[in-house]
Each structure stands twice: as C-alpha cells, then as structure tokens.
Amino acid sequence: MTTPEGLLAVDERTARELRGLARVLVRSGYADHVAVAAALTEAVQEDAPSMDASALVPLLIGEAFMDLRAEAADWPATTDPDRLDAVLAELESRGVVVVRYTADHHAARQVLEAAADPKGLVFFTDTDVWHAVDFGMLELKLWHPDTANVAPGEPLLEDVLSLLHHYDLPAVFDEGRIEVTLDWQRRVTL
C-alpha cells in the first residue's frame, strides 16, 4: 500500500483509522465521490486537525481506490453484491420496500411510510455495509408494513431467507436481523 505523504505527520493509529475509513467508504460502492470526500474531510478535521484535509483527502481516496481496483481484477464475473442486488430487485418486484445504505432506521421508516401498500421493508445502513466490507457479514433489517420486526417462522422472513439462499447467499435470522455472509466485492467507479 502506498503511503500518502501527508499521513507521515499523523500518528500511526490515526493514519490507520483514516485509511480504514477511506477503505470502507470507497468499497461500499454506494457513496459517490462528493460524499466520500466530505466524510473523510470531517474525519481529518476531527482526528488530525493539524493536517491539511484538502491535500490529504484526495490521497486517501486515491490510495483506497487503487487498492480496490487491483483486487477487483481477480474477482469473479458475478460477485456476492451482484447477487444481493438481484435479491433486492426481486423483493422490490414483490412489493417490499428496499432501502440501501441509509443513515439510520428513521430514514428507512420515512421511505416505508411514503410507499403505497408495501408488503414490508428491508434495509441496511451505511455502517452495516462498512461491517460487510471488513468482516464479510451484512446485517439486513426486515420489518412489516407497520414497522414491527419480523419474527421466526413468519412468511415474510421465510420468503426473504429463501430468496437469499436461492441466490447462493448464506443467511440466518439472529436476534431480530438477517445476517448475510458475503464477500463485499462491489465494483466501484469514483
């Protein structure tokens, strides 16, 4: 991994944290360049206030994107996030509201409440994706139209689990959420 010159003046822990944030933001595949740069600028200003964020942030983004591009050359033609996208599209076609990479459950609830005759809601947050990038597990939340969590044995939950398994995405329901095991290999353009 290349070392942006600006990170040399930051302690090792802060440099590692900033690189880690750049990594998950870029690899998420959901945040555009402006959002990635804004989040990193805020982090630099907070964690390394003596650094010039306008110089450091492009280096962090460039490093993360170069690392991702090098790895992506060896990815299969269809990746786990591609299969996840197919699952989500299928759920949408069945009337389930899908909210991807949202800030929190409040924003997801607003989308659900604005929908006409939804069959349910499945959503995941930005931090759920970051966890998937680092640890290979994406947490999906699944609600009924009235915002109640699904429970074991309910048809909505069984349908979603069955669909995930159909697309070769191992998933289990645990403590009110669906844990999907996947390699987060999302192709990204910034």
Side-chain angles (χ1 to χ4, degrees), residues 65-160:
F65 190 69
M66 285 177 19
D67 290 347
L68 174 60
R69 189 177 317 162
E71 287 179 31
D74 295 327
W75 289 352
T78 302
T79 65
D80 289 347
D82 294 332
R83 285 191 285 284
L84 177 64
D85 287 341
V87 168
L88 298 175
E90 177 74 20
L91 289 171
E92 287 173 322
S93 76
R94 296 178 183 185
V96 175
V97 174
V98 175
V99 180
R100 298 162 178 85
Y101 202 75
T102 187
D104 57 34
H105 71 277
H106 299 293
R109 179 186 318 195
Q110 289 176 342
V111 175
L112 174 66
E113 290 171 349
D117 193 32
K119 305 295 185 244
L121 167 72
V122 64
F123 71 96
F124 52 91
T125 66
D126 49 6
T127 56
D128 293 328
V129 171
W130 303 346
H131 186 267
V133 168
D134 284 339
F135 302 106
M137 190 275 287
L138 178 68
E139 184 178 296
L140 297 177
K141 286 81 165 175
L142 182 60
W143 292 356
H144 291 289
D146 65 358
T147 72
N149 287 322
V150 295
E154 292 182 346
L156 179 59
L157 173 60
E158 296 307 316
D159 288 348
V160 172

Side-chain angles (χ1 to χ4, degrees), residues 8-92:
L8 296 176
V10 176
D11 68 86
E12 188 175 321
R13 185 175 138 252
T14 301
R16 187 174 51 253
E17 288 173 359
L18 291 171
R19 280 190 174 111
L21 179 59
R23 180 180 182 275
V24 296
L25 287 168
V26 167
R27 288 174 182 255
S28 76
Y30 286 103
D32 64 15
H33 183 80
V34 171
V36 170
L40 284 169
T41 297
E42 182 179 324
V44 169
Q45 290 170 343
E46 184 175 310
D47 297 338
S50 65
M51 300 303 302
D52 178 7
S54 65
L56 185 55
V57 166
L59 294 172
L60 288 165
I61 294 171
E63 177 184 62
F65 190 69
M66 285 177 19
D67 290 347
L68 174 60
R69 189 177 317 162
E71 287 179 31
D74 295 327
W75 289 352
T78 302
T79 65
D80 289 347
D82 294 332
R83 285 191 285 284
L84 177 64
D85 287 341
V87 168
L88 298 175
E90 177 74 20
L91 289 171
E92 287 173 322

